[in-house]
Amino acid sequence: MSGNVRLLSDTLAAAKEEGRSALIAYLPAGFPTVDGGIEAVKAAIEGGADVVEVGLPHSDPVLDGPVIQTADDIALRGGVRIADVMRTVREAHAATGAPILVMTYWNPIDRYGVERFTAELAEAGGAGCILPDLPVQESALWREHAEKHGLATVFVVAPSSKDERLAEITAAGSGFVYAASLMGVTGTRESVSTQAEDLVRRTRATTDMPVCVGLGVSNPAQAAEVARFADGVIVGSAFVKRMLDAPDDAAGVEAVRALAGELAKGVRGQV
C-alpha cells in the first residue's frame, strides 16, 4: 500500500495554479475525543482547508505552545493511542479525499517501530509526516521507510537556520518545507513575524519544493499577509482555541468549519 505523497504535491500545485497559497490546518488527534477529533478534521477540510496535519499528542512537546499542550493533555488523559491517530487519518481522508499528514515528535515513532508506523500510515491513506525534532543527519532510517511507502518527509526550518543548513534540510525533505516564522513555540500572535518572509526567500533559494509558513497565524488578515510570500499558510493554535472555547463538542466542530472558511478567504486575498 502506497501513501499519498503525490496527492499532497498535486494539491499544493493546484493551489499555486489558482494563484493562491494553500491553507493547511493542524488539529490534534483524540481532541476532544477520538470521534470528535475526526469530525473536526473533516470540518476543517469542508470549510476550506486544502491539507490537514493531524497531531500525535505527546507528553513532552518542544514546539507546541500552551493552547495545543492543553488539547494534547485532554487527548492523552482520554487514552489516545497511535492506533487512534491512524484511524483519524484513515477516516478523514476517506471522507474528504484530502491529503492528511501526521505531525509527531520522534520518540513515539521510535518506540512504535519505523517500519510499522510508516506501513500503517500509508495503509491509512496518509500523505506523510512532519517531524520537528528529528535531525536531518539522523533521519536516514525514517526516510528510507517513508520513501518505500510513498510518504512525504517534512522538515522544519527556522529563522536561525544558516543557508548551508537550509540546503541540507531541504535536500533531505519531500512534500513541502515547514518554515517556522519565529523562534519559540506555537500560539496565536498579534502580528506575523517579519522574519518569515526572509526565511521563505532563503529557503526557496535551496529548493523547488513549496515553502509553507506556520507559527502565529490566527486570522484572515494574517493569512492574507503570509499568503503574499508563502506557498502555504499553516494554522493550528487558532483552530484548537476555537474548540477549547466552544460550549460543547458539536459547537467546536462548527467553529473549526467557520474558521477554515474565514482563513480560506484570507489565502485568496478576499479580506
Side-chain angles (χ1 to χ4, degrees):
M1 182 77 180
S2 184
N4 274 311
V5 63
R6 173 58 66 86
L7 175 63
L8 174 65
S9 299
D10 289 349
T11 300
L12 295 171
K16 186 174 184 179
E17 285 177 17
E18 291 176 21
R20 65 173 179 89
S21 281
L23 174 60
I24 302 174
Y26 167 94
L27 289 160
F31 168 73
T33 61
V34 175
D35 288 343
I38 291 168
E39 291 307 310
V41 173
K42 292 194 290 189
I45 296 162
E46 290 161 3
D50 300 288
V51 179
V52 173
E53 305 169 2
V54 171
L56 195 161
H58 189 52
S59 58
D60 189 27
V62 295
L63 188 70
D64 300 313
V67 170
I68 291 174
Q69 283 189 39
T70 298
D72 278 5
D73 186 58
I74 291 168
L76 290 167
R77 288 174 186 271
V80 70
R81 296 288 183 265
I82 288 178
D84 300 313
V85 178
M86 298 299 179
R87 182 185 153 212
T88 301
V89 172
R90 179 181 296 105
E91 294 193 13
H93 172 66
T96 65
I100 314 285
L101 300 115
V102 169
M103 187 166 188
T104 179
Y105 298 100
W106 179 245
N107 182 256
I109 295 177
D110 192 38
R111 290 174 64 94
Y112 197 73
V114 178
E115 170 59 21
R116 181 183 176 195
F117 189 95
T118 51
E120 289 184 8
L121 182 56
E123 188 275 328
C129 256
I130 301 162
L131 301 159
D133 67 339
L134 178 63
V136 169
Q137 60 270 27
E138 297 174 20
S139 68
L141 177 66
W142 164 265
R143 287 188 286 127
E144 174 191 340
H145 288 286
E147 187 172 348
K148 180 172 78 172
H149 289 291
L151 299 169
T153 299
V154 179
F155 289 114
V156 178
V157 297
S160 60
S161 303
K162 300 287 190 288
D163 289 352
E164 54 270 27
R165 178 68 175 160
L166 289 176
E168 183 182 4
I169 292 170
T170 58
S174 56
F176 65 91
V177 184
Y178 187 127
S181 66
L182 41 79
M183 302 302 293
V185 296
T186 60
T188 61
R189 300 294 198 282
E190 292 298 316
S191 61
V192 178
S193 166
T194 55
Q195 296 174 306
E197 188 167 2
D198 180 62
L199 177 58
V200 170
R201 178 189 58 78
R202 292 195 297 118
T203 304
R204 277 192 178 138
T206 71
T207 183
D208 292 328
M209 275 191 297
V211 182
C212 304
V213 170
L215 273 65
V217 176
S218 62
N219 59 53
Q222 291 175 344
E225 182 185 346
V226 173
R228 283 192 305 101
F229 58 82
D231 298 298
V233 179
I234 303 169
V235 181
S237 295
F239 280 111
V240 176
K241 188 172 189 307
R242 291 267 182 118
M243 294 181 72
L244 287 169
D245 291 346
D248 56 53
D249 292 356
V253 169
E254 289 313 308
V256 166
R257 190 190 313 276
L259 179 58
E262 295 164 21
L263 294 166
K265 291 180 179 177
V267 299
R268 289 167 173 80
Q270 299 169 356
V271 294

